[in-house]
Amino acid sequence: MTRTVARLLAESLEAHDVDQIYCVPGESYIGLTSALIERNSMRLVVCRHEAGAGFMAAADGRLGTRAGVAMVSRGPGLSNALVSLHSAYHDATPMVMLVGQVERKDFGRLALQEQNYSRLLSDVTKQVIEVNEPEQASEAIARAFHLAESGTPGPVAVILPEDIFDDTTDAPVDRARPRVVAGPRADDLDRLADMLAKAERPLILVGGAMLADAMHDSAVFGDLNRFAEQWVLPICPTHRRPQLFDATHPNYGGYMGIRVPPALILEMKKADLLVSLGERLTDTVSQSYSFPTAPQPQLPLVHVWPDANEVGRVFRPDLGMACSPHEVLKALLKRGAPKDAAKRQGWVDTLHATHRKLLAKEWEPTKDGVNFAAVVCEIDKHLAPDATVTSDAGNFGSFIHRYIGFRQGQIFLASVVGAMGSGMPMAVAASLRRPGKQVVAFMGDGGALMMGNEIATAAQYGATPIVIISDNAMYGTIGMHSYVRYPERPFMAGTKLTNPDFAQWGRLFGAEGITIRTESEVADGIARAFAVKTKPVVVHCLTSAIQMSAWRKYTRAETLP
Ligand SMILES: Cc1ncc(C[n+]2csc(CCOP(=O)(O)OP(=O)(O)O)c2C)c(N)n1
């Protein structure tokens, strides 16, 4: 069958279950846009910024079984999208970005908005696939999805010259490659079972690859619970993956996020075995490579991650397994727990008690604005068992992890590597994907005006996120770092912000606007926000700057304005 490249690309995307593409239009790929519109088989979500489109695609990549898809124009469009690629690359999030390019006859001339994508994207994508032959267009899509979704998942860019779309070809639609799942070797499983049986104080980290497995098989959650209970093990969800295990489950051993509170990390460091089930062991999770220590861990380490390039890249594990963490879990459950597993009950109980103490909903009122703890605790009361929470990057996020006891079934989305700007677009995507379900987006005043314009996309497509803005009139995180590192110097100068009335700002986009100025307004303001349901809501919280995070206060408060 002869068809245009544009049509072949559209059918190839359909063959990969693509039903939604996030884009900012560009003349460089107009041939594809018009073919997609004509075919009308998927929704084009037209965004306000390419990074917004990229973060929405990243959210899709985390909410389903396939890579999310974004489509951006050449040069400036792609340059805007870079932060989303950087984030997806670090976060191991599957994503396919379709990118326009100059006409083939002009390659290499530095024609209008031309860029050498292989050079530009070499450290933010798994691969850059340039399509210069019409016959390879469909194969390129199939390869892009396969690479984005397998091994360590990540973003793949497909580069499409402006003049290729109207070419015709007889090439068939390349079908989706089957998912390749590696299981554990029998010998490795024997060793792991033996190490787990002997350990008195094992610590089990669960991370992103386990969550990815859960997208394909929701039995992951129940299996994790049975593993924890039968094998008597403390389970520790890692940075920005809190939904893997119920925070109140008696086997919850603590959240292994950014800078684990001293009381908890002190206990964790008494472990005699560390098993990382689907956690990559990033800088953040490893507490800046101190637990475990890099490159030689201070305790026996078992690292399970579905990519041999990653296992052993930073840490030398005693046992490395390049396979699906859920497959390991299932195989261990089949073997059955060691007879004396109960010997670890005290260890599990101690960790859990320390974790529960840290989660206690306690805070002190602050004089210079609302303690954000009060807002987050109130939201926790309203969150449905299937709610989605998204978070931008900033210190307001520490309150989320301290005061929301996440449960299996809830969804948490954020840039794991901490890119600002992800909170709003991820909430828009989550709300589009899960209509009628609660979506709460947290952001600071900094992040709100960095990517907050995507609230226009929410309004345009009927998404209904509740947007909670913690307005402490500063880039608070950086003020804190400055205060901690250079305590003798003024710390506010480089971080102060003057903000609009965010409730009014939200109303101008068609959202409901609510303002919370004092702690006494928290309960009513949050209840009103959750009652809206039919349109986006912006809750402007005038928060304390003195309460710099959920764990820290400025003590030199006299230096605050
Ligand atoms: C795109 C991007 N730019 C800069 C940073 C560095 N950074 C991390 S947190 C932060 C401040 C965030 O401020 P705000 O959104 O107001 O939240 P707060 O920390 O005050 O709670 C900055 C600038 C980043 N992580 N990402």
Side-chain angles (χ1 to χ4, degrees):
M1 176 186 169
T2 305
R3 60 197 130 192
T4 63
V5 169
R7 166 120 190 231
L8 180 61
L9 287 167
E11 290 185 46
S12 305
L13 292 166
E14 288 164 16
H16 289 79
D17 311 320
V18 178
D19 59 356
Q20 191 151 288
I21 299 186
Y22 303 96
C23 69
V24 174
E27 68 275 35
S28 60
Y29 69 86
I30 194 79
L32 180 55
T33 314
S34 70
L36 288 170
I37 292 168
E38 187 185 57
R39 236 179 127 64
N40 198 25
S41 58
M42 56 193 80
R43 173 151 76 163
L44 278 188
V45 177
V46 180
C47 305
R48 301 306 174 117
H49 192 289
E50 287 83 354
F55 281 129
M56 288 185 211
D60 265 12
R62 301 254 286 279
L63 287 167
T65 55
R66 282 255 175 243
V69 184
M71 201 158 64
V72 301
S73 197
R74 61 194 169 196
L78 179 65
S79 302
N80 264 353
L82 273 181
V83 64
S84 64
L85 290 171
H86 159 76
S87 179
Y89 189 60
H90 272 260
D91 298 0
T93 299
M95 178 166 147
V96 171
M97 190 166 280
L98 308 175
V99 187
Q101 176 60 300
V102 300
E103 295 185 18
R104 285 166 288 180
K105 69 178 174 48
D106 293 332
F107 275 179
R109 290 176 168 161
L110 206 64
L112 184 80
Q113 302 178 347
E114 180 180 10
Q115 278 187 307
N116 180 329
Y117 297 116
S118 295
R119 279 170 63 189
L120 181 74
L121 301 180
S122 62
D123 207 28
V124 290
T125 56
K126 286 184 75 176
Q127 189 145 329
V128 176
I129 303 173
E130 299 190 356
V131 182
N132 299 324
E133 297 297 332
E135 286 65 35
Q136 290 190 347
S138 190
E139 185 183 338
I141 297 294
R143 181 171 304 121
F145 275 87
H146 177 71
L147 290 173
E149 293 166 1
S150 32
T152 299
V156 174
V158 180
I159 312 300
L160 302 163
E162 185 175 348
D163 62 317
I164 203 168
F165 300 111
D166 296 330
D167 281 5
T168 54
T169 171
D170 295 328
V173 174
D174 207 347
R175 290 192 301 154
R177 314 288 201 245
R179 182 172 181 242
V180 181
V181 183
R185 291 172 65 228
D187 287 357
D188 291 344
L189 211 54
D190 285 345
R191 254 191 91 196
L192 174 56
D194 188 49
M195 288 167 94
L196 274 171
K198 287 189 179 133
E200 310 244 316
R201 296 178 307 283
L203 204 59
I204 313 295
L205 308 184
V206 288
M210 187 70 90
L211 211 46
D213 278 353
M215 287 296 128
H216 292 273
D217 183 356
S218 59
V220 162
F221 297 107
D223 288 346
L224 251 180
N225 294 349
R226 287 195 293 136
F227 182 53
E229 290 155 15
Q230 292 170 8
W231 290 62
V232 191
L233 296 165
I235 306 292
C236 306
T238 54
H239 188 57
R240 299 191 187 247
R241 324 279 189 185
Q243 71 270 42
L244 273 163
F245 205 65
D246 282 9
T248 53
H249 189 292
N251 287 68
Y252 194 107
Y255 177 60
M256 197 74 175
I258 210 164
R259 285 183 292 277
V260 175
L264 184 57
I265 194 77
L266 208 71
E267 286 305 323
M268 286 174 156
K269 283 188 171 170
K270 293 177 186 161
D272 59 3
L273 172 67
L274 189 62
V275 179
S276 176
L277 283 181
E279 165 52 48
R280 199 173 185 176
L281 288 176
T282 59
D283 165 26
T284 310
V285 172
S286 66
Q287 312 298 297
S288 304
Y289 306 112
S290 68
F291 186 65
T293 40
Q296 182 60 56
Q298 69 272 57
L299 78 173
L301 171 68
V302 179
H303 196 179
V304 181
W305 179 265
D307 179 358
N309 284 334
E310 199 59 33
V311 178
R313 186 176 61 83
V314 178
F315 301 94
R316 182 197 175 280
D318 291 80
L319 174 59
M321 298 166 81
C323 62
S324 140
H326 188 208
E327 292 301 313
V328 173
L329 203 57
K330 288 195 287 188
L332 288 173
L333 282 169
K334 225 179 241 172
R335 283 179 178 230
K339 290 201 173 48
D340 61 345
K343 68 183 173 186
R344 302 193 279 244
Q345 196 60 56
W347 163 243
V348 172
D349 292 347
T350 305
L351 280 170
H352 186 68
T354 312
H355 150 74
R356 284 300 276 268
K357 229 169 149 182
L358 292 169
L359 269 192
K361 298 214 172 356
E362 293 163 355
W363 70 89
E364 288 168 10
T366 33
K367 288 200 182 92
D368 66 324
V370 182
N371 190 328
F372 199 49
V375 176
V376 175
C377 287
E378 194 62 30
I379 287 170
D380 189 34
K381 291 184 200 162
H382 288 266
L383 281 182
D386 58 0
T388 302
V389 171
T390 77
S391 174
D392 211 73
N395 267 9
F396 66 87
S398 62
F399 297 88
I400 304 174
H401 294 299
R402 176 163 178 184
Y403 294 111
I404 294 184
F406 282 96
R407 287 165 275 169
Q408 294 174 337
Q410 293 179 329
I411 295 174
F412 180 78
L413 287 172
S415 162
V416 182
V417 76
M420 286 173 73
S422 61
M424 179 73 87
M426 285 186 163
V428 175
S431 183
L432 291 177
R433 285 289 177 201
R434 299 164 60 79
K437 299 217 187 328
Q438 287 177 356
V439 177
V440 180
F442 287 95
M443 60 200 67
D445 45 325
L449 286 194
M450 194 175 271
M451 201 59 67
N453 277 354
E454 293 300 353
I455 195 171
T457 310
Q460 183 169 339
Y461 292 93
T464 56
I466 300 173
V467 179
I468 309 289
I469 300 177
S470 165
D471 176 4
N472 56 5
M474 66 186 294
Y475 287 119
T477 312
I478 311 305
M480 177 191 75
H481 283 301
S482 174
Y483 178 75
V484 170
R485 199 169 302 180
Y486 305 108
E488 72 289 354
R489 296 190 199 155
F491 57 91
M492 296 292 284
T495 62
K496 277 300 297 164
L497 293 172
T498 301
N499 290 312
D501 173 343
F502 280 107
Q504 184 64 8
W505 170 85
R507 280 182 214 117
L508 293 172
F509 286 98
E512 182 77 28
I514 295 169
T515 307
I516 293 178
R517 289 183 193 80
T518 62
E519 217 172 296
S520 61
E521 293 175 347
V522 169
D524 179 56
I526 297 303
R528 276 168 50 213
F530 275 90
V532 172
K533 295 187 169 87
T534 50
K535 56 178 173 172
V537 184
V538 173
V539 184
H540 184 188
C541 308
L542 293 155
T543 46
S544 164
I546 291 178
Q547 186 71 50
M548 64 173 95
S549 80
W551 307 101
R552 256 185 170 137
K553 271 182 171 182
Y554 288 111
T555 48
R556 269 197 307 125
E558 71 280 3
T559 49
L560 285 166

